[in-house]
C-alpha cells in the first residue's frame, strides 16, 4: 500500500476489517515511529487501527499506548512509569461527560444549583490537574476532546432558551477547557460535537456497548474522531499540503468548455451551477488560509482565461491562481512543471479532477501527489469532499498566510524582471531589497513554528517545532530564535527565514536554519547565515557548529555550509552531519545590492 498521503477520505471508504487487513500486510519496519498516548475514562480501544492506518498513510509506524481505564488524572501525574517519554508525539484525552460529571450529563434536571456548581468545580480541578501533570512529563501535542452536548437536553426545548440550561453549562465547561489548553501550549480542543454532527448521533454512538462495556462510541464514531485528530497531527509533523491543483471542466464548472462555450457551462446561483459555485467558495476559503491555487487542465488556454475574466458567476479570478498549465500535454508532466514553477515538492500538491483516467494516471506516474477524484454525478458533494479531506490544515494562521497568493503574484513580476535582466547584480539592485533580522517574539513566534513545520527544501535539519517550543527557545538562556523579514520593490515578502541557535557553554550550534522558497536565488540566505555568524562572533564564540540532516527534499542545502567555510567534523547518530567554522578570521562584507540590512543582532 502506498504511503503517499493520509486523507480521512480514504479511511471513510474502508471497513474496519479492511483497515486491519491493510495494517497486517504493510511493511512497517523501516518507517519512523509516531508515538500516540491515549488517556481515557471510557473504553476506546477500537480507535487504535484507525490511528495506525492514518499514521501509515502519512509514512509512519504508529505506536498507540492506552492509559488505564478511568485514570486520566492518575496517568497524567505519573502513576504509570514511562507512559510518556521524550519520543511521545501526541496525547489524546477522552474525558467522557457521563463518567466525568454524571449529574450534569444525565441528572441535570433533578439536581440543585449547588450540586451542578459542585460538579463544575470538580471538572475544573480535573482538567487543571491533568494538564499540569501531562505538561510536567511531556511537551507533546495534546488533543483533548470537547465535552459533548446531549442530543436530547435535560430541559427539553426550554434548555436552549437559557444560558444556565444543560447545554449552556457544558458550553461554559468547554470554554474553560479551551482556555486551559491555550495556556498549556501545543494543546488543542478537538470539536467532538462537530464530529457527532457529521456522522449523525445515531451512527456515532453505540448505547448497547456503552451499557455492556463503557464504550460509548461506535466504530463509525471512532473513525471520525481518528480523522479529526490527524487534522492536528498532520501539520504538527510537517505533512500539510501547500498547493491545490484544479482541473476545470466538470470541476470548477459543469460541462466541457470546448463544447458548451463560456455561456453554456453550468455555473451560477441556481442548480446545477450552484454546486460548482459553492465548490469555488470553498477553494477561495483555502486561498485565504494561505493555500496556493493552480490549474492543470486539458483545454485551450485562452478559453479558460476568458471564463476567469468575464463569466459573471466565476468566484475564482486570474489573480488567485499562482501557476497554470492549460494545454493538451499529459497531466503528470504538467504537475511536475507546476511544482518546479512554484519551487515546492510534488508531495506538496493535491490534484483534484473528475476523470478517473486522469486521477489514475497521476497516481501511477507521480505517486507523490495526493489525488482527490470527484464524483461527476454528485457535484453537490464537491465542497464537502474538499472541506473534509484534512490535507491543508495548519495550527497557525499568520499574516503571511493570508497574503501568500499576492506574494506569489509579486514573485511572477520578479521572475519576469529577472528574465529581462542581463546583469545579475543590477537585477538584484533593482529589487531594492530590505532585510530585517529580529529575535522571535510576538507574532513572529507562530510564524517561526509554522516555518519549521512546513519548510522542507531549504532547511538544514527539517526539525519540527511547535509554537510552545519556539516560545521556550526564544526565552531560554541557552538558545535564541532569529527571524528574517524581506521586502522589495514589489512589496513585503514577510518573514521568510528562521534560525534556531543553541548554546552549551562556549559552544554555539545552529540547530535550524531555513528559508522560504519564495526568498531563494537572490542572496538572502547568504546574508542570513553571515549575519548570524557575525552575531555569534560578537558574543564571544570562537567557533560554531552547523548541523545538517539530509532528506529526500533538502539536497539543495547539502553544500550550503561548506560554501561558507564550514568543515565537516563527522556524523553523530543516524544521518546527522556536523560542520564547524572558525569565527576568528571571519570577515563579512555586506552586499552592496541590498538597499537595507537592519539587524537587531548588532
Amino acid at each position: 500500500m502506498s504511503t503517499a498521503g493520509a486523507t480521512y477520505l480514504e479511511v471513510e471508504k474502508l471497513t474496519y476489517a479492511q483497515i486491519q487487513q491493510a495494517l497486517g500486510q504493510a511493511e512497517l519496519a523501516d518507517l519512523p515511529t509516531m508515538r500516540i498516548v491515549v488517556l481515557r475514562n471510557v473504553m476506546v480501544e477500537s480507535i487504535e487501527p484507525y490511528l495506525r492506518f492514518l499514521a501509515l498513510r502519512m509514512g509512519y509506524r504508529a505506536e498507540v499506548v492506552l492509559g488505564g481505564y478511568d485514570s486520566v488524572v492518575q496517568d497524567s501525574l505519573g502513576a504509570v512509569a514511562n507512559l510518556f517519554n521524550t519520543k511521545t508525539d501526541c496525547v489524546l484525552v477522552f474525558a467522557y461527560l457521563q463518567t466525568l460529571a454524571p449529574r450534569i450529563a444525565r441528572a441535570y434536571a433533578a439536581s440543585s444549583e449547588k450540586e451542578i456548581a459542585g460538579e463544575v468545580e470538580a471538572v475544573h480541578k480535573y482538567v487543571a490537574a491533568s494538564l499540569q501533570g501531562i505538561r510536567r512529563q511531556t511537551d507533546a501535542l495534546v488533543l483533548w476532546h470537547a465535552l459533548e452536548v446531549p442530543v436530547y437536553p435535560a430541559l427539553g426545548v426550554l434548555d436552549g432558551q437559557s444560558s444556565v440550561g444543560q447545554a449552556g453549562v457544558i458550553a461554559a465547561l468547554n470554554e474553560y477547557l479551551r482556555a486551559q489548553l491555550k495556556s498549556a501550549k501545543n494543546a488543542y480542543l478537538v470539536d467532538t460535537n462537530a464530529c457527532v454532527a457529521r456522522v449523525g448521533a445515531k451512527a456515532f454512538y453505540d448505547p448497547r456497548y456503552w451499557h455492556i462495556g463503557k464504550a460509548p462510541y461506535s466504530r463509525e464514531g471512532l473513525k471520525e474522531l481518528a480523522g479529526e485528530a490527524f487534522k492536528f497531527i498532520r501539520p504538527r509533523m510537517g505533512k500539510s499540503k501547500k498547493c491545490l491543483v484544479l482541473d476545470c471542466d466538470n470541476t470548477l464548472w459543469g460541462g466541457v468548455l470546448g463544447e458548451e462555450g463560456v455561456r453554456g457551462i453550468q455555473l451560477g446561483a441556481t442548480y446545477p451551477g450552484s454546486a460548482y459555485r459553492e465548490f469555488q467558495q470553498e477553494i477561495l476559503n483555502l486561498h485565504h488560509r494561505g493555500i496556493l491555487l493552480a490549474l492543470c487542465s486539458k483545454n485551450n488556454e485562452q478559453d479558460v482565461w476568458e471564463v476567469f475574466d468575464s463569466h459573471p458567476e466565476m468566484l475564482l479570478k486570474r489573480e488567485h491562481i499562482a501557476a497554470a498549465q492549460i494545454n493538451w500535454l499529459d497531466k503528470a508532466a504538467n504537475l511536475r512543471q507546476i511544482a518546479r514553477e512554484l519551487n515546492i515538492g510534488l508531495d506538496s500538491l493535491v490534484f483534484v479532477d473528475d476523470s478517473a483516467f486522469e486521477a489514475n494516471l497521476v497516481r501511477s506516474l507521480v505517486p507523490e501527489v495526493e489525488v482527490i477524484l470527484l464524483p461527476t454525478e454528485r457535484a453537490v458533494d464537491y465542497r464537502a469532499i474538499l472541506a473534509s479531506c484534512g490535507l491543508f490544515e495548519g495550527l497557525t494562521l499568520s499574516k503571511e498566510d493570508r497574503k501568500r497568493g499576492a506574494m506569489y503574484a509579486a514573485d511572477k513580476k520578479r521572475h519576469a524582471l529577472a528574465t529581462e535582466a542581463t546583469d545579475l547584480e543590477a537585477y538584484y539592485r533593482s529589487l531594492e531589497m530590505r532585510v530585517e533580522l529580529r529575535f522571535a517574539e510576538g507574532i513572529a513566534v507562530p510564524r517561526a513554528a509554522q516555518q519549521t513545520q512546513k519548510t522542507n527544501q531549504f532547511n538544514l535539519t527539517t526539525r519540527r517545532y511547535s509554537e510552545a517550543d519556539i516560545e521556550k527557545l526564544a526565552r531560554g538562556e541557552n538558545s535564541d530564535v532569529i527571524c528574517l523579514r524581506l521586502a522589495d520593490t514589489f512589496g513585503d515578502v514577510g518573514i521568510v527565514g528562521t534560525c534556531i541557535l543553541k548554546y552549551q557553554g562556549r559552544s554555539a550550534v545552529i540547530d535550524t536554519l531555513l528559508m522560504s522558497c519564495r526568498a531563494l536565488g537572490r542572496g538572502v540566505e547568504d546574508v542570513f547565515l553571515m549575519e548570524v555568524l557575525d552575531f555569534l562572533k560578537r558574543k564571544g564564540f570562537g567557533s560554531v557548529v552547523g548541523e545538517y540532516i539530509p532528506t529526500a527534499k533538502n539536497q539543495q542545502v547539502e553544500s550550503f555550509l561548506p560554501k561558507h567555510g564550514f568543515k565537516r567534523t563527522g556524523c553523530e547518530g543516524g544521518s546527522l552531519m556536523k560542520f564547524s567554522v572558525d569565527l576568528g578570521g571571519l570577515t563579512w562584507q555586506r552586499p552592496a545590492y541590498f538597499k537595507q540590512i537592519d539587524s537587531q543582532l548588532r
Side-chain angles (χ1 to χ4, degrees), residues 108-344:
Y108 188 87
S111 301
S112 67
E113 289 184 13
K114 183 178 180 180
E115 288 171 328
I116 296 299
E119 276 204 342
V120 167
E121 184 179 358
V123 172
H124 287 184
K125 291 179 178 177
Y126 180 97
V127 170
S130 299
L131 279 175
Q132 289 169 14
I134 291 170
R135 275 293 170 255
R136 278 196 293 269
Q137 298 187 76
T138 179
D139 292 326
L141 173 69
V142 175
L143 301 178
W144 193 304
H145 292 78
L147 304 172
E148 296 133 70
V149 177
V151 179
Y152 303 105
L155 302 181
V157 294
L158 294 177
D159 196 272
Q161 314 308 310
S162 170
S163 61
V164 295
Q166 184 187 31
V169 168
I170 295 171
L173 285 173
N174 279 329
E175 283 305 311
Y176 172 82
L177 180 52
R178 195 188 316 274
Q180 292 296 306
L181 290 164
K182 187 174 181 180
S183 298
K185 307 292 185 183
N186 197 27
Y188 301 88
L189 187 68
V190 179
D191 193 346
T192 324
N193 290 294
C195 294
V196 175
R198 289 195 289 262
V199 175
K202 290 182 179 179
F204 192 88
Y205 296 107
D206 192 327
R208 184 179 56 144
Y209 278 105
W210 163 247
H211 287 286
I212 294 173
K214 299 304 177 188
Y217 306 122
S218 68
R219 286 179 175 173
E220 285 301 306
L222 292 171
K223 181 192 295 187
E224 184 72 25
L225 289 169
E228 195 72 6
F230 267 80
K231 292 178 182 178
F232 294 86
I233 294 172
R234 170 180 280 279
R236 181 65 184 90
M237 304 300 284
K239 297 291 186 177
S240 287
K241 305 297 185 180
K242 299 177 181 178
C243 179
L244 176 63
V245 186
L246 297 150
D247 175 45
C248 291
D249 291 337
N250 288 314
T251 300
L252 293 182
W253 51 75
V256 177
L257 180 60
E259 298 174 2
E260 311 290 343
V262 175
R263 294 185 180 182
I265 59 174
Q266 298 167 351
L267 182 65
T270 58
Y271 181 81
S274 56
Y276 299 96
R277 197 171 192 273
E278 186 178 75
F279 182 53
Q280 288 192 27
Q281 185 60 69
E282 189 61 33
I283 294 167
L284 274 178
N285 287 341
L286 290 176
H287 170 76
H288 290 295
R289 284 165 49 186
I291 303 305
L292 301 175
L293 304 181
L295 301 180
C296 183
S297 173
K298 288 184 176 177
N299 247 309
N300 291 323
E301 184 174 10
Q302 185 177 351
D303 294 344
V304 169
W305 290 129
E306 184 182 355
V307 177
F308 272 77
D309 294 338
S310 66
H311 197 291
E313 298 295 342
M314 191 73 182
L315 297 181
L316 289 173
K317 301 298 182 184
R318 192 190 289 247
E319 60 264 27
H320 297 135
I321 306 302
Q325 289 295 310
I326 306 168
N327 52 49
W328 301 99
L329 301 177
D330 76 84
K331 293 194 175 182
N334 281 335
L335 286 167
R336 293 191 186 97
Q337 179 57 34
I338 287 170
R340 283 193 294 269
E341 183 178 338
L342 296 176
N343 197 19
I344 57 179

Side-chain angles (χ1 to χ4, degrees), residues 12-30:
E12 196 173 30
K13 297 173 186 174
L14 300 177
T15 66
Y16 190 82
Q18 287 172 325
I19 286 174
Q20 291 277 38
Q21 182 181 12
L23 289 169
Q25 295 172 348
E27 295 182 6
L28 303 173
D30 295 331

Side-chain angles (χ1 to χ4, degrees), residues 52-73:
R52 291 178 57 216
F53 181 79
L54 283 165
L56 173 64
R57 295 291 292 130
M58 263 177 56
Y60 289 89
R61 176 175 60 84
E63 177 185 296
V64 182
V65 182
L66 281 84
Y69 169 76
D70 198 14
S71 59
V72 174
V73 175

Side-chain angles (χ1 to χ4, degrees), residues 509-564:
V509 177
I510 300 176
D511 169 273
T512 294
L513 193 143
L514 59 84
M515 292 285 296
S516 168
C517 58
R518 299 197 311 275
L520 298 178
R522 56 177 102 173
V524 180
E525 60 272 25
D526 304 317
V527 168
F528 196 16
L529 175 61
M530 296 309 293
E531 286 287 338
V532 167
L533 294 180
D534 185 59
F535 162 67
L536 293 172
K537 181 179 180 179
R538 284 183 283 101
K539 280 178 70 80
F541 290 101
S543 63
V544 176
V545 172
E547 296 183 338
Y548 169 60
I549 300 174
T551 71
K553 303 180 189 176
N554 72 351
Q555 297 98 327
Q556 67 174 292
V557 294
E558 183 178 5
S559 60
F560 181 67
L561 293 175
K563 185 180 81 171
H564 290 284

Side-chain angles (χ1 to χ4, degrees), residues 31-44:
L31 297 179
T33 300
M34 177 190 296
R35 193 169 197 270
I36 302 173
V37 175
V38 181
L39 306 183
R40 66 319 183 4
N41 66 0
V42 287
M43 303 298 286
V44 290

